[in-house]
Amino acid sequence: MATKTKSVYFCGACGYESPKWLGKCPSCGEWNTFVEEKVTVSSSAKKSSKGSKLKTERPVKLSEIELSEEPRIAMPSSELNRVLGGGLVAGSMTLIGGEPGIGKSTLLLQNILSIRNRRILYVSGEESSTQLKLRADRLGKVSEDTYILCETRLENIFTQIENVNPDILIIDSIQTIATDEIESSAGSVSQVRECAARLLRYAKESGVPVILVGHINKEGAIAGPKVLEHIVDTVLQFEGDRQYLYRILRAIKNRFGSTSEIGIYEMVARGLREVKNPSEMLLSDNREEEMSGVAIGVTVEGARPLMVEVQALVSSAAYGTPQRSVTGFDQRRLNMLLAVLEKRARFKLGQKDVFLNIAGGLKVADPALDMAVVSAVMSSNFDLPIRRRTAFIGEVGLSGEIRTVTRVEQRVAEAQKLGFEQVYVPVGNMKGLQFSPTIKVIEVGKVEDLFRSLFSD
């Protein structure tokens, strides 16, 4: 049996392969991401690898291809179905990525335990069968059609796949799986890519949907989901702060649906609970008195409008150099908004500390939240509270103008549904739209007009 050993360098960010070390990856442009791996490949194993049946395809005219609706497997979680685009597509490969301990395994386990009349094979390379049984008991669900396999060798996994013949295959996690054809440790770039490629081939040939779990840390771990994004059909990112209860499931890539949908969960003692109306949970309605520095903005996460609470604190700089601290918002955008207030609205904030926080642990990048941010900052600066049941929708430009935003009708409807009495919107953004008289729509064109309307009384 002829074998060949060679050194290959892989980019940890995108998986680019190079015969020598490079400082900058020519594919993704990242610096110092190349790692060396010793790869030993058997030529005979290449020819006789399991599941490598090659099919000869012939070119087909585009007009001759018949379209058919992709059969989908509906998942028990409506939030997961929303992000997937209606369910799992037969023969697809889905990657769920996120930081360790964020709740990926819990999300999958509580979903597959609720599926009926489907044979599911759950392959775990991290936990024992006893640990998975304890977790299933904690979730309070039992399934007779779920099979647990604790294995890390890919060849053994394919053997058990033939015995079980599952309808859904789950690999938790792909970094723990290794094949004998490549002589490198599990979790390396070459192992992850080869195992994922063979699992993808199995999914396409058998029509069985495959779900992979991948870990990634804040620095972007080598052989994390970034390497697999080009291989899989769908990439879901499960994100959230461990100090908060909320988790967001976001579609980064989806060949069978939209990437604008998100799912919101709350971590509770018995697993993950779907959040049907996140706006009510993100707003603090338990305050008995009005407080300065608080403004309510309407953002859009995916296709869903959310009411978020923006908290600001402005105080005199105690140590000479003013501080700018931001949580859940882009700090560079805050600096831009403060510069607009300084230049266009004549407010002196250069010698004051500014702290900004998006309540609930959410990270928001919607520019339509600009009006709420500047309103909260000036409310704290003047120490004047904003009238309760007031919402803000609008982007602030560099000249101090309030720019129009998208989906303003959905945003105003969300504020109206939650009982808000008035909402500030950009001038001209409400042309042709009418709402119930229960909510007052105030149109503003410049930052000065906004502050005059808020604090003139």
Side-chain angles (χ1 to χ4, degrees), residues 8 13 44 69 71 76 94 105 112 121 123 126 199 225 253 289 297 301 347 424 448:
V8 180
S44 59
E69 187 177 353
T94 303
S105 301
I112 65 174
L121 179 59
V123 181
E126 299 178 344
L199 289 168
K253 169 187 176 182
E289 58 181 13
E301 282 286 348
F347 292 117
Y424 286 84
E448 302 94 309

Side-chain angles (χ1 to χ4, degrees), residues 97-263:
E99 298 179 11
I102 204 68
K104 303 181 296 296
S105 301
T106 301
L107 174 66
L108 288 176
L109 194 60
Q110 73 179 32
N111 269 274
I112 65 174
L113 291 177
S114 300
I115 296 178
R116 297 292 180 263
N117 303 323
R118 298 280 184 179
R119 187 180 293 109
I120 302 169
L121 179 59
Y122 187 100
V123 181
S124 176
E126 299 178 344
E127 298 179 279
S128 65
S129 56
T130 304
Q131 290 174 313
L132 291 172
K133 174 62 175 176
L134 290 173
R135 179 178 294 184
D137 292 341
R138 177 170 55 86
L139 296 174
K141 298 179 180 180
V142 178
S143 174
E144 298 295 334
D145 296 325
T146 300
Y147 295 81
I148 302 297
L149 174 64
C150 299
E151 180 61 63
T152 58
R153 186 170 175 266
L154 186 63
E155 286 73 17
N156 294 342
I157 293 174
F158 275 115
T159 300
Q160 298 304 321
I161 287 176
E162 292 182 356
N163 296 333
V164 176
N165 191 21
D167 297 319
I168 301 176
L169 175 64
I170 298 176
I171 306 294
D172 185 8
S173 68
I174 188 61
Q175 279 93 347
T176 62
I177 308 301
T179 176
D180 295 339
E181 295 182 11
I182 298 179
E183 194 175 295
S184 60
S185 61
S188 61
V189 177
S190 54
Q191 284 282 10
V192 169
R193 193 162 55 178
E194 176 65 22
C195 293
R198 291 184 59 181
L199 289 168
L200 177 64
R201 191 182 309 127
Y202 161 76
K204 299 304 179 185
E205 293 179 357
S206 65
V208 175
V210 177
I211 302 178
L212 305 180
V213 175
H215 296 305
I216 184 171
N217 56 27
K218 294 181 180 179
E219 291 76 24
I222 295 173
K226 291 293 182 183
V227 179
L228 304 175
E229 286 183 357
H230 309 290
I231 301 177
V232 301
D233 299 309
T234 304
V235 180
L236 305 182
Q237 186 78 15
F238 203 43
E239 57 191 40
D241 196 329
R242 296 185 189 181
Q243 277 68 42
Y244 292 93
L245 300 177
Y246 307 112
R247 303 286 189 268
I248 295 179
L249 185 64
R250 193 187 307 272
I252 307 298
K253 169 187 176 182
N254 193 353
R255 289 174 177 163
F256 309 108
S258 173
T259 57
S260 62
E261 293 288 352
I262 66 167

Side-chain angles (χ1 to χ4, degrees), residues 6-10 16-22 34 36:
K6 61 178 181 179
S7 294
V8 180
Y9 293 85
F10 291 98
Y16 181 82
E17 180 179 339
S18 172
K20 63 179 181 178
W21 186 87
L22 298 175
F34 277 88
E36 180 183 7

